[in-house]
Coordinates of all heavy atoms in Angstrom, one line a residue:
M1 N 0.9 -1.2 0.0 CA 0.0 0.0 0.0 C 0.9 1.2 0.0 O 1.8 1.3 0.8 CB -0.9 0.0 1.3 CG -1.6 1.3 1.5 SD -2.6 1.3 3.1 CE -1.3 1.3 4.3
I2 N 0.6 2.2 -0.9 CA 1.3 3.4 -0.9 C 0.9 4.3 0.3 O -0.3 4.5 0.6 CB 1.0 4.2 -2.2 CG1 1.4 3.5 -3.4 CG2 1.6 5.6 -2.1 CD1 2.9 3.4 -3.6
V3 N 1.9 4.7 1.1 CA 1.7 5.6 2.2 C 1.9 7.0 1.9 O 1.1 7.9 2.1 CB 2.5 5.1 3.4 CG1 2.4 6.1 4.6 CG2 2.1 3.7 3.9
C4 N 3.1 7.3 1.2 CA 3.5 8.6 0.8 C 3.4 8.7 -0.7 O 4.3 8.1 -1.4 CB 4.8 9.0 1.4 SG 5.5 10.5 0.8
H5 N 2.5 9.5 -1.2 CA 2.3 9.6 -2.7 C 3.4 10.5 -3.3 O 3.8 10.2 -4.4 CB 0.9 10.1 -3.0 CG -0.1 9.1 -2.7 ND1 -0.5 8.1 -3.5 CD2 -0.9 8.9 -1.5 CE1 -1.4 7.3 -2.9 NE2 -1.7 7.8 -1.7
C6 N 3.8 11.5 -2.6 CA 4.9 12.4 -3.1 C 6.2 11.6 -3.4 O 6.8 11.9 -4.4 CB 5.2 13.5 -2.1 SG 3.8 14.7 -1.9
Q7 N 6.5 10.7 -2.5 CA 7.8 10.0 -2.6 C 7.6 8.5 -2.9 O 8.6 7.8 -2.9 CB 8.6 10.2 -1.3 CG 9.0 11.6 -1.0 CD 9.9 12.2 -2.0 OE1 10.6 11.5 -2.7 NE2 9.9 13.5 -2.2
N8 N 6.4 8.1 -3.2 CA 6.1 6.7 -3.6 C 6.7 5.7 -2.5 O 7.4 4.8 -2.9 CB 6.7 6.4 -5.0 CG 6.1 5.2 -5.6 OD1 4.9 4.9 -5.3 ND2 6.8 4.6 -6.5
I9 N 6.4 6.0 -1.3 CA 6.8 5.1 -0.2 C 5.7 4.2 0.2 O 4.6 4.7 0.5 CB 7.3 5.9 1.0 CG1 8.6 6.8 0.6 CG2 7.6 5.1 2.2 CD1 9.0 7.7 1.6
T10 N 5.9 2.9 0.3 CA 4.9 2.0 0.7 C 5.0 1.6 2.2 O 6.1 1.9 2.8 CB 5.0 0.7 -0.1 OG1 6.3 0.0 0.2 CG2 5.0 1.0 -1.6
D11 N 4.0 0.9 2.7 CA 4.1 0.4 4.1 C 5.2 -0.6 4.2 O 5.9 -0.6 5.3 CB 2.8 -0.2 4.5 CG 2.3 -1.3 3.6 OD1 2.7 -1.4 2.4 OD2 1.4 -2.1 4.0
R12 N 5.5 -1.3 3.2 CA 6.7 -2.3 3.2 C 8.0 -1.6 3.3 O 8.9 -2.0 4.0 CB 6.6 -3.2 2.0 CG 5.5 -4.2 2.1 CD 5.5 -5.1 0.9 NE 4.3 -6.0 0.9 CZ 4.2 -7.0 0.2 NH1 5.1 -7.4 -0.7 NH2 3.1 -7.8 0.3
D13 N 8.1 -0.4 2.6 CA 9.3 0.4 2.7 C 9.6 0.8 4.1 O 10.7 0.8 4.6 CB 9.2 1.6 1.7 CG 9.2 1.2 0.3 OD1 9.7 0.2 -0.1 OD2 8.6 2.0 -0.5
I14 N 8.5 1.3 4.7 CA 8.6 1.8 6.1 C 9.0 0.7 7.0 O 9.9 0.9 7.9 CB 7.2 2.5 6.5 CG1 7.0 3.8 5.7 CG2 7.2 2.8 8.0 CD1 5.7 4.4 5.8
D15 N 8.3 -0.4 6.9 CA 8.7 -1.6 7.8 C 10.1 -2.0 7.6 O 10.8 -2.3 8.6 CB 7.7 -2.8 7.5 CG 6.4 -2.6 8.1 OD1 6.2 -1.8 9.1 OD2 5.4 -3.2 7.7
A16 N 10.6 -2.1 6.4 CA 11.9 -2.5 6.1 C 12.9 -1.5 6.7 O 13.9 -1.9 7.3 CB 12.2 -2.6 4.6
A17 N 12.6 -0.2 6.6 CA 13.5 0.8 7.1 C 13.6 0.7 8.6 O 14.6 0.8 9.2 CB 13.1 2.2 6.7
I18 N 12.4 0.6 9.3 CA 12.4 0.4 10.7 C 13.2 -0.8 11.2 O 14.0 -0.7 12.1 CB 10.9 0.4 11.2 CG1 10.2 1.7 11.0 CG2 10.9 -0.1 12.7 CD1 8.7 1.7 11.3
D19 N 12.9 -1.9 10.5 CA 13.6 -3.2 10.9 C 15.1 -3.0 10.7 O 15.9 -3.5 11.6 CB 13.1 -4.3 10.1 CG 11.6 -4.7 10.4 OD1 11.1 -4.2 11.4 OD2 11.0 -5.4 9.5
W20 N 15.5 -2.4 9.6 CA 16.9 -2.2 9.4 C 17.6 -1.3 10.5 O 18.6 -1.5 11.0 CB 17.2 -1.6 8.0 CG 18.6 -1.2 7.7 CD1 19.6 -2.1 7.4 CD2 19.1 0.1 7.8 NE1 20.8 -1.4 7.3 CE2 20.5 0.0 7.5 CE3 18.6 1.4 8.1 CZ2 21.4 1.1 7.4 CZ3 19.5 2.4 8.0 CH2 20.8 2.3 7.7
M21 N 16.9 -0.2 10.8 CA 17.4 0.8 11.8 C 17.5 0.1 13.2 O 18.5 0.3 13.9 CB 16.5 2.0 11.9 CG 16.8 3.0 10.7 SD 15.9 4.6 11.0 CE 14.4 4.2 10.2
R22 N 16.5 -0.7 13.5 CA 16.5 -1.3 14.8 C 17.6 -2.4 14.9 O 18.3 -2.5 15.9 CB 15.1 -2.0 15.1 CG 15.0 -2.5 16.5 CD 15.2 -1.5 17.6 NE 14.1 -0.6 17.7 CZ 14.3 0.7 18.1 NH1 15.4 1.1 18.5 NH2 13.3 1.6 18.1
A23 N 17.8 -3.1 13.8 CA 18.9 -4.1 13.8 C 20.2 -3.5 13.8 O 21.2 -4.0 14.4 CB 18.7 -5.0 12.5
S24 N 20.4 -2.3 13.2 CA 21.6 -1.6 13.2 C 22.0 -1.0 14.5 O 23.2 -0.9 14.9 CB 21.6 -0.5 12.1 OG 21.4 -1.0 10.9
D25 N 21.0 -0.4 15.2 CA 21.2 0.2 16.5 C 20.0 0.0 17.4 O 19.0 0.8 17.2 CB 21.4 1.7 16.2 CG 21.7 2.5 17.5 OD1 21.7 1.9 18.6 OD2 21.9 3.7 17.5
P26 N 20.0 -0.9 18.3 CA 18.9 -1.2 19.2 C 18.4 0.0 20.0 O 17.3 0.0 20.4 CB 19.4 -2.3 20.1 CG 20.5 -3.0 19.3 CD 21.1 -1.8 18.5
A27 N 19.3 1.0 20.2 CA 18.9 2.1 21.1 C 18.4 3.3 20.3 O 18.1 4.3 20.9 CB 20.1 2.5 22.0
T28 N 18.3 3.2 19.0 CA 18.0 4.4 18.2 C 16.5 4.8 18.4 O 15.7 4.0 18.7 CB 18.3 4.2 16.7 OG1 18.2 5.5 16.1 CG2 17.3 3.2 16.1
I29 N 16.3 6.1 18.3 CA 14.9 6.6 18.3 C 14.6 6.8 16.8 O 15.2 7.5 16.1 CB 14.8 7.9 19.0 CG1 15.1 7.7 20.5 CG2 13.4 8.5 18.9 CD1 15.2 9.0 21.3
I30 N 13.5 6.1 16.4 CA 13.1 6.1 15.0 C 12.0 7.2 14.8 O 11.0 7.2 15.4 CB 12.6 4.7 14.6 CG1 13.8 3.7 14.8 CG2 12.1 4.7 13.1 CD1 13.3 2.2 14.6
T31 N 12.3 8.1 13.9 CA 11.4 9.2 13.5 C 11.1 9.1 12.0 O 11.8 8.4 11.3 CB 12.1 10.5 13.8 OG1 13.2 10.7 12.9 CG2 12.5 10.6 15.2
P32 N 10.0 9.7 11.6 CA 9.7 9.8 10.2 C 10.8 10.3 9.4 O 11.1 9.8 8.3 CB 8.4 10.7 10.1 CG 7.8 10.5 11.5 CD 8.9 10.4 12.4
G33 N 11.5 11.3 9.9 CA 12.6 11.9 9.2 C 13.7 10.9 8.9 O 14.3 10.9 7.9
K34 N 14.0 10.1 9.9 CA 15.0 9.1 9.8 C 14.6 8.0 8.8 O 15.5 7.5 8.0 CB 15.3 8.4 11.1 CG 16.2 9.3 12.1 CD 16.5 8.5 13.3 CE 17.4 9.3 14.2 NZ 17.7 8.5 15.5
I35 N 13.3 7.7 8.7 CA 12.9 6.7 7.7 C 13.0 7.3 6.3 O 13.5 6.6 5.4 CB 11.4 6.3 8.0 CG1 11.4 5.5 9.3 CG2 10.8 5.5 6.9 CD1 10.0 5.2 9.8
Y36 N 12.6 8.6 6.2 CA 12.8 9.2 4.8 C 14.3 9.2 4.5 O 14.6 8.8 3.3 CB 12.3 10.6 4.8 CG 10.8 10.8 4.6 CD1 9.9 11.0 5.6 CD2 10.3 10.7 3.3 CE1 8.6 11.1 5.3 CE2 9.0 10.8 3.0 CZ 8.1 11.0 4.0 OH 6.8 11.2 3.8
H37 N 15.1 9.5 5.4 CA 16.5 9.6 5.1 C 17.1 8.2 4.8 O 17.8 8.0 3.8 CB 17.3 10.1 6.3 CG 18.7 10.3 6.1 ND1 19.2 11.4 5.3 CD2 19.8 9.6 6.5 CE1 20.6 11.3 5.3 NE2 20.9 10.2 6.0
A38 N 16.6 7.2 5.5 CA 17.1 5.8 5.2 C 16.7 5.3 3.9 O 17.4 4.5 3.2 CB 16.5 4.8 6.3
L39 N 15.5 5.8 3.4 CA 15.0 5.5 2.1 C 15.6 6.4 1.0 O 15.3 6.2 -0.2 CB 13.5 5.5 2.1 CG 12.8 4.5 3.0 CD1 11.3 4.7 3.1 CD2 13.1 3.1 2.6
G40 N 16.4 7.3 1.4 CA 17.0 8.2 0.4 C 16.0 9.2 -0.2 O 16.2 9.7 -1.3
K41 N 15.0 9.6 0.7 CA 14.0 10.5 0.2 C 13.8 11.6 1.2 O 14.3 11.6 2.3 CB 12.7 9.7 -0.1 CG 12.9 8.6 -1.1 CD 11.7 7.8 -1.4 CE 12.0 6.8 -2.5 NZ 10.9 6.2 -3.1
K42 N 12.9 12.5 0.9 CA 12.7 13.7 1.7 C 11.2 14.0 1.6 O 10.6 14.0 0.5 CB 13.5 14.8 1.2 CG 13.6 16.0 2.1 CD 14.6 17.0 1.4 CE 14.8 18.2 2.3 NZ 15.7 19.2 1.7
A43 N 10.6 14.3 2.8 CA 9.1 14.6 2.8 C 8.9 15.8 2.0 O 9.7 16.8 1.9 CB 8.7 14.8 4.2
D44 N 7.7 15.9 1.4 CA 7.3 17.0 0.6 C 6.2 17.8 1.2 O 6.3 18.7 2.0 CB 7.0 16.6 -0.9 CG 6.9 17.7 -1.8 OD1 7.1 18.9 -1.4 OD2 6.5 17.5 -3.0
C45 N 4.9 17.3 0.9 CA 3.8 18.1 1.4 C 3.4 17.8 2.9 O 2.8 18.6 3.5 CB 2.6 17.8 0.5 SG 1.9 16.1 0.7
G46 N 3.7 16.5 3.3 CA 3.4 16.2 4.7 C 2.0 15.6 4.9 O 1.6 15.2 6.0
D47 N 1.2 15.6 3.8 CA -0.2 15.1 4.0 C -0.2 13.6 4.4 O -1.2 13.2 4.9 CB -0.9 15.2 2.6 CG -1.3 16.6 2.4 OD1 -1.2 17.5 3.2 OD2 -1.8 16.9 1.2
C48 N 0.9 12.9 4.2 CA 0.9 11.5 4.6 C 1.2 11.2 6.0 O 1.1 10.1 6.5 CB 1.9 10.7 3.7 SG 3.6 11.4 3.9
M49 N 1.5 12.2 6.8 CA 2.0 12.0 8.2 C 1.1 11.2 9.0 O 1.6 10.3 9.7 CB 2.4 13.3 8.8 CG 3.8 13.8 8.6 SD 5.0 12.5 9.0 CE 5.7 12.3 7.4
P50 N -0.2 11.4 9.1 CA -1.1 10.6 9.9 C -1.0 9.1 9.5 O -0.8 8.2 10.4 CB -2.5 11.1 9.7 CG -2.3 12.5 9.3 CD -1.0 12.5 8.5
L51 N -1.0 8.8 8.3 CA -0.9 7.4 7.8 C 0.5 6.9 8.0 O 0.7 5.7 8.4 CB -1.4 7.2 6.4 CG -1.3 5.8 5.8 CD1 -2.2 4.9 6.7 CD2 -1.8 5.8 4.4
F52 N 1.5 7.7 7.8 CA 2.9 7.4 8.0 C 3.1 7.0 9.4 O 3.7 6.0 9.7 CB 3.8 8.6 7.6 CG 5.2 8.2 7.2 CD1 5.6 8.2 5.9 CD2 6.1 8.0 8.2 CE1 6.9 7.9 5.6 CE2 7.4 7.7 7.9 CZ 7.8 7.6 6.6
L53 N 2.6 7.8 10.3 CA 2.8 7.5 11.8 C 2.1 6.3 12.2 O 2.6 5.5 13.0 CB 2.4 8.7 12.6 CG 3.3 10.0 12.5 CD1 2.6 11.2 13.2 CD2 4.6 9.7 13.1
S54 N 0.9 6.1 11.7 CA 0.2 4.9 12.1 C 0.8 3.6 11.6 O 0.8 2.6 12.2 CB -1.3 4.9 11.7 OG -1.5 4.8 10.4
T55 N 1.4 3.7 10.4 CA 2.2 2.6 9.8 C 3.4 2.3 10.6 O 3.7 1.2 10.9 CB 2.6 2.9 8.3 OG1 1.4 3.2 7.6 CG2 3.3 1.8 7.7
M56 N 4.1 3.4 11.1 CA 5.2 3.2 11.9 C 4.8 2.5 13.2 O 5.5 1.6 13.7 CB 5.9 4.6 12.3 CG 6.6 5.2 11.2 SD 7.2 6.9 11.7 CE 8.3 6.5 13.0
R57 N 3.7 3.0 13.8 CA 3.3 2.4 15.1 C 2.9 1.0 15.1 O 2.9 0.3 16.1 CB 2.2 3.3 15.7 CG 2.7 4.6 16.1 CD 1.6 5.5 16.7 NE 2.0 6.8 17.0 CZ 1.5 7.9 16.5 NH1 0.4 7.9 15.8 NH2 2.0 9.1 16.8
S58 N 2.5 0.5 13.9 CA 2.1 -0.9 13.7 C 3.3 -1.8 13.6 O 3.1 -3.1 13.7 CB 1.2 -1.0 12.5 OG 1.9 -0.9 11.3
N59 N 4.5 -1.3 13.5 CA 5.7 -2.2 13.5 C 6.2 -2.5 14.9 O 6.3 -1.6 15.7 CB 6.8 -1.4 12.7 CG 8.0 -2.3 12.5 OD1 8.6 -2.9 13.4 ND2 8.4 -2.5 11.2
A60 N 6.4 -3.8 15.2 CA 6.8 -4.2 16.5 C 8.1 -3.6 16.9 O 8.5 -3.6 18.1 CB 6.8 -5.7 16.6
N61 N 9.0 -3.3 16.0 CA 10.3 -2.8 16.3 C 10.4 -1.3 16.5 O 11.4 -0.7 16.7 CB 11.3 -3.1 15.1 CG 11.7 -4.5 15.1 OD1 11.8 -5.1 16.2 ND2 11.8 -5.1 13.9
I62 N 9.2 -0.6 16.6 CA 9.2 0.9 16.8 C 9.4 1.3 18.2 O 9.7 2.4 18.5 CB 8.0 1.5 16.2 CG1 8.1 3.0 15.9 CG2 6.7 1.2 17.0 CD1 9.2 3.3 14.9
E63 N 9.2 0.4 19.2 CA 9.2 0.7 20.6 C 10.5 1.5 21.0 O 11.6 1.2 20.4 CB 9.2 -0.6 21.4 CG 7.8 -1.1 21.6 CD 7.8 -2.2 22.6 OE1 8.7 -2.2 23.5 OE2 7.0 -3.1 22.5
F64 N 10.3 2.4 21.9 CA 11.4 3.1 22.4 C 12.4 2.2 23.2 O 11.9 1.2 23.8 CB 11.0 4.2 23.4 CG 10.3 5.3 22.8 CD1 8.9 5.6 23.0 CD2 11.0 6.2 22.0 CE1 8.3 6.6 22.5 CE2 10.3 7.3 21.4 CZ 9.0 7.5 21.6
P65 N 13.7 2.5 23.2 CA 14.6 1.7 24.0 C 14.2 1.7 25.4 O 13.7 2.7 25.9 CB 16.0 2.4 23.8 CG 15.8 3.2 22.5 CD 14.3 3.6 22.4
A66 N 14.5 0.6 26.1 CA 14.1 0.5 27.6 C 14.7 1.6 28.4 O 14.0 2.1 29.3 CB 14.6 -0.8 28.1
T67 N 15.9 2.1 28.1 CA 16.4 3.2 29.0 C 15.6 4.5 28.8 O 15.5 5.2 29.8 CB 17.9 3.5 28.6 OG1 18.0 3.7 27.1 CG2 18.8 2.3 28.9
L68 N 15.1 4.8 27.6 CA 14.3 6.0 27.4 C 12.9 5.8 28.1 O 12.4 6.8 28.6 CB 14.2 6.3 26.0 CG 15.5 6.7 25.3 CD1 15.3 7.0 23.8 CD2 16.1 7.9 26.0
R69 N 12.4 4.6 28.0 CA 11.1 4.4 28.7 C 11.2 4.6 30.2 O 10.3 5.2 30.8 CB 10.6 2.9 28.4 CG 9.8 2.8 27.1 CD 9.3 1.5 27.0 NE 10.5 0.7 26.6 CZ 10.5 -0.6 26.4 NH1 9.5 -1.3 26.7 NH2 11.6 -1.2 26.1
A70 N 12.4 4.3 30.7 CA 12.6 4.5 32.2 C 12.6 6.0 32.4 O 12.1 6.5 33.5 CB 13.9 3.9 32.6
L71 N 13.2 6.8 31.5 CA 13.2 8.3 31.7 C 11.8 8.8 31.7 O 11.4 9.7 32.5 CB 14.0 8.9 30.6 CG 15.5 8.8 30.7 CD1 16.2 9.3 29.5 CD2 16.1 9.5 31.9
R72 N 11.0 8.3 30.7 CA 9.6 8.8 30.6 C 8.8 8.5 31.9 O 8.0 9.3 32.3 CB 9.0 8.2 29.4 CG 7.6 8.6 29.2 CD 6.9 8.0 28.0 NE 6.8 6.5 28.3 CZ 6.5 5.6 27.4 NH1 6.3 5.9 26.2 NH2 6.4 4.4 27.8
D73 N 9.1 7.3 32.4 CA 8.4 6.9 33.6 C 8.9 7.5 34.9 O 8.4 7.3 36.0 CB 8.4 5.4 33.7 CG 7.6 4.7 32.6 OD1 6.8 5.4 31.9 OD2 7.9 3.6 32.3
G74 N 10.0 8.3 34.8 CA 10.6 8.9 36.0 C 11.5 8.0 36.8 O 11.9 8.4 37.9
Q75 N 11.8 6.9 36.3 CA 12.6 5.9 37.1 C 14.1 6.3 37.1 O 14.8 5.9 38.0 CB 12.4 4.5 36.5 CG 11.0 4.0 36.7 CD 10.8 2.7 35.9 OE1 11.7 2.2 35.3 NE2 9.6 2.2 35.9
A76 N 14.5 7.1 36.1 CA 16.0 7.4 36.0 C 16.3 8.8 36.5 O 17.3 9.3 36.2 CB 16.4 7.1 34.6
R77 N 15.4 9.5 37.1 CA 15.6 10.9 37.5 C 16.4 11.0 38.7 O 16.9 12.1 39.0 CB 14.2 11.6 37.7 CG 13.5 11.7 36.4 CD 12.4 12.7 36.6 NE 11.7 12.8 35.3 CZ 10.4 13.0 35.1 NH1 9.7 13.2 36.2 NH2 9.9 13.2 34.0
G78 N 16.6 10.0 39.5 CA 17.4 10.1 40.7 C 18.8 10.5 40.5 O 19.5 11.0 41.4
S79 N 19.4 10.4 39.3 CA 20.8 10.7 39.1 C 21.0 12.2 39.0 O 22.2 12.7 39.0 CB 21.3 10.0 37.9 OG 20.6 10.4 36.8
R80 N 20.0 13.0 38.8 CA 20.2 14.5 38.6 C 19.6 15.2 39.8 O 18.6 14.8 40.4 CB 19.5 14.9 37.3 CG 20.2 14.4 36.1 CD 19.7 15.2 35.0 NE 20.6 15.0 33.8 CZ 20.5 15.5 32.7 NH1 19.5 16.3 32.5 NH2 21.4 15.3 31.8
P81 N 20.1 16.4 40.1 CA 19.6 17.2 41.2 C 18.2 17.7 40.9 O 17.9 18.0 39.9 CB 20.6 18.3 41.4 CG 21.5 18.3 40.3 CD 21.3 17.0 39.5
Ligands
FES1 S1 2.3 12.5 0.6 FE1 4.1 12.2 1.8 S2 5.2 14.1 1.7 FE2 3.4 14.4 0.4

């Protein structure tokens, strides 16, 4: 399914980019911009962002790294004044 019509990016392209980024760096934060960059493309109009984001969220490898989840939950705040 085409997700981004401007750049002809499919849901499979997005999944492949996410899987590749997660395999390359388990701690990376994956953003739409990084996916465009990994695919050698650049966002144009941005109309695809809602579908682009929901496609990203449906990939099991999109989860934040455990260390960042701890920050969000306030578990790692004890190290700073
Ligand atoms: S539809 Fe994706 S940038 Fe335009």
Side-chain angles (χ1 to χ4, degrees):
M1 168 183 72
I2 297 287
V3 174
C4 175
H5 292 275
C6 290
Q7 297 296 337
N8 199 27
I9 296 173
T10 67
D11 55 340
R12 290 181 183 193
D13 295 331
I14 293 170
D15 282 338
I18 291 170
D19 294 344
W20 175 77
M21 282 189 270
R22 186 59 70 213
S24 300
D25 181 1
T28 193
I29 296 173
I30 299 172
T31 64
K34 285 184 175 179
I35 292 173
Y36 275 101
H37 186 75
L39 296 172
K41 300 180 179 196
K42 195 173 179 181
D44 189 3
C45 71
D47 285 350
C48 59
M49 269 312 116
L51 181 56
F52 202 101
L53 289 170
S54 72
T55 302
M56 287 175 63
R57 290 180 186 126
S58 69
N59 186 305
N61 284 325
I62 198 66
E63 279 190 29
F64 288 113
T67 53
L68 294 178
R69 273 183 286 173
L71 287 173
R72 182 183 64 196
D73 296 339
Q75 297 170 359
R77 290 192 179 151
S79 61
R80 289 193 165 184

